[in-house]
Structures are given as C-alpha cells and as structure tokens.
Amino acid sequence: MDIVVKGRKTEVPDRFRKHVAEKLKLDKVQKLDAKVISLDVEVSKEPNPRQADRSDRVEITLRSRGPVVRAEAAAADPYAALDLATAKLEARLRKQHDKRHSRRGSGRTPASDVAVKVPEAARLNTNGELAGEEAATEEKVPTTRIGSLEVQGEGPLIVREKTHSAAPMALDQALYEMELVGHDFYLFVDVDTKQPSVVYRRHAYDYGVIRLNSDPFADGTPTDAGGALGG
C-alpha cells in the first residue's frame, strides 16, 4: 500500500511526510480494511488571518476495492489537523469493519419501500419542487457572467469539477457510503429505478431522497430541480 502526501498551494516539508508515515500505521489500517490500495493525504493552508485557529487542513482519502473512505480536519497547525483527521478515519474504518461483519444476510431496502421505511423521505411535485414546501423568495442580486456560468452576488467563485464512475446501488448502501466519506449528501444511481438520485441529511438521523427524471421533451428551460437540499 502506498501513502501519497501532497500539498495544495502549499509546500509539505519532509519532516511532516515522515510524521504522516508514522501516524498512519499501515498494519492497523490493513487490519480494518484488507482491501486497501492507497492512502492520499492532502495538506492545504487557509491564508485568512481571522481563521488562524483553523488555518491548516488535512484531508485523508483511503482507496480500496470497496467504498472510498475520507476524513478531513482543520487546526492551528498541520500536525494537530493530521491527528484529528486520523482519528476520524480510524473511527469510520472501524464502523465499516463492524458493519461488514454484522450485516451478512441482512436485506436491503428497495426503492419502492423508501416512503414507508423512511417517512421523512423527500418527494418532488410536478414542478420539480419539494412537495409541501414553498420556494423561498429570492432577493434580486447583481449577476455576473463568467464563461458559461452566471454568478449572483460578488462571489468568491470556486469551481471544482469531479466525474466519478460508479455502479448502481441501493438506497441503504448510498446512506452507508455517505457516512463513510463524511458528507451531508451523496449522489448515486438507484439500482431499482436506474435514476440519478441524491440522498441527503436533514435533521438528526432523518434523511431525504431526491430523484431526477429525464424528460426528452423538455425545452431546456431551467427548473427548480437543482435547488437547495435543505428542508
């Protein structure tokens, strides 16, 4: 297994690289996930002096033949951030390890049963809006066009594009993998409906699901289907 340490808009000293190798104990990681292939550690620095207590950020990404596991943390120095991120990574690996051994033989929740088993699952009405909720009235703000994008307000604009290849999966697997990467939402293709779908965290342990239908007769007029996930 390889450990790759890189800096994003910052230099990574050799001393820190050695510390990463000592901190991320490979035998412990491989014991929790025997299929691990590599560990990527990315270090970045926030130049804003008002965020000095969170100026250094460390993101650890574990790639294996199973789901990607990611953990990140920010602190006043990279060593403290690495400690926090490592603790999160180990906790998620333990959770994955325990669930892998406890879920054998358990069934999955088909998409048709989501509304019954997840009462708070979000539904879209015919206008592409969250059912039962009114769209918030937006104040008019200045709009600036940058390339193919229209940016409202003064920015700042940060564009980061990612494309992933993924096999269709069931809803409970999408929830599980969302927890592993520590995000509040997860994009996936539903194995039952074959629809692009997003599962997202709402309140406490409640989750919502948004599915996207392709309309071959649509004229390209923008809708509210890509709105905020909250609510």
Side-chain angles (χ1 to χ4, degrees):
M1 180 179 67
D2 299 324
I3 298 180
V4 179
V5 183
K6 58 184 178 181
R8 188 170 66 189
K9 297 182 180 180
T10 186
E11 293 293 331
V12 181
D14 290 338
R15 177 188 173 192
F16 183 78
R17 294 178 186 274
K18 293 178 181 178
H19 183 71
V20 169
E22 296 172 355
K23 185 69 179 178
L24 293 173
K25 298 179 175 60
L26 299 185
D27 55 343
K28 187 174 183 179
V29 172
Q30 291 175 322
K31 184 176 181 180
L32 293 172
D33 188 344
K35 298 181 180 180
V36 62
I37 298 172
S38 67
L39 276 171
D40 295 336
V41 179
E42 184 178 88
V43 184
S44 59
K45 194 170 184 66
E46 170 57 57
N48 189 342
R50 289 182 294 182
Q51 297 186 24
D53 59 335
R54 297 173 56 83
S55 61
D56 290 276
R57 177 173 293 275
V58 172
E59 179 180 299
I60 306 174
T61 303
L62 183 147
R63 304 183 190 280
S64 69
R65 290 189 291 275
V68 173
V69 182
R70 182 176 292 110
E72 59 182 299
D77 65 79
Y79 294 91
L82 177 65
D83 289 345
L84 294 172
T86 300
K88 289 183 180 180
L89 179 72
E90 291 180 353
R92 286 169 185 165
L93 285 176
R94 281 193 294 270
K95 181 178 180 180
Q96 180 190 38
H97 180 269
D98 295 342
K99 190 167 186 177
R100 186 186 301 120
H101 288 78
S102 64
R103 67 183 296 176
R104 291 175 180 173
S106 62
R108 295 178 180 272
T109 302
S112 58
D113 294 341
V114 170
V116 177
K117 295 189 176 183
V118 188
E120 295 299 321
R123 297 179 177 85
L124 298 180
N125 59 25
T126 56
N127 295 323
E129 300 172 342
L130 291 176
E133 297 184 4
E134 297 181 356
T137 302
E138 298 182 356
E139 298 181 359
K140 292 184 177 180
V141 295
T143 301
T144 304
R145 190 168 187 85
I146 301 177
S148 61
L149 298 178
E150 287 189 355
V151 183
Q152 293 184 336
E154 299 179 354
L157 173 67
I158 301 176
V159 178
R160 187 177 182 182
E161 296 184 1
K162 289 186 177 181
T163 301
H164 297 280
S165 298
M169 65 179 66
L171 173 62
D172 64 334
Q173 181 68 19
L175 284 167
Y176 173 53
E177 298 201 16
M178 180 182 74
E179 294 293 343
L180 288 180
V181 296
H183 289 175
D184 291 328
F185 69 94
Y186 193 83
L187 175 65
F188 68 105
V189 177
D190 192 284
V191 70
D192 296 315
T193 65
K194 303 303 185 291
Q195 292 175 305
S197 307
V198 173
V199 61
Y200 64 95
R201 192 187 314 279
R202 300 183 77 237
H203 308 290
Y205 295 100
D206 292 339
Y207 300 93
V209 182
I210 295 178
R211 307 188 190 283
L212 189 64
N213 279 322
S214 177
D215 185 354
F217 302 103
D219 59 2
T221 303
T223 68
D224 293 332
L229 296 180

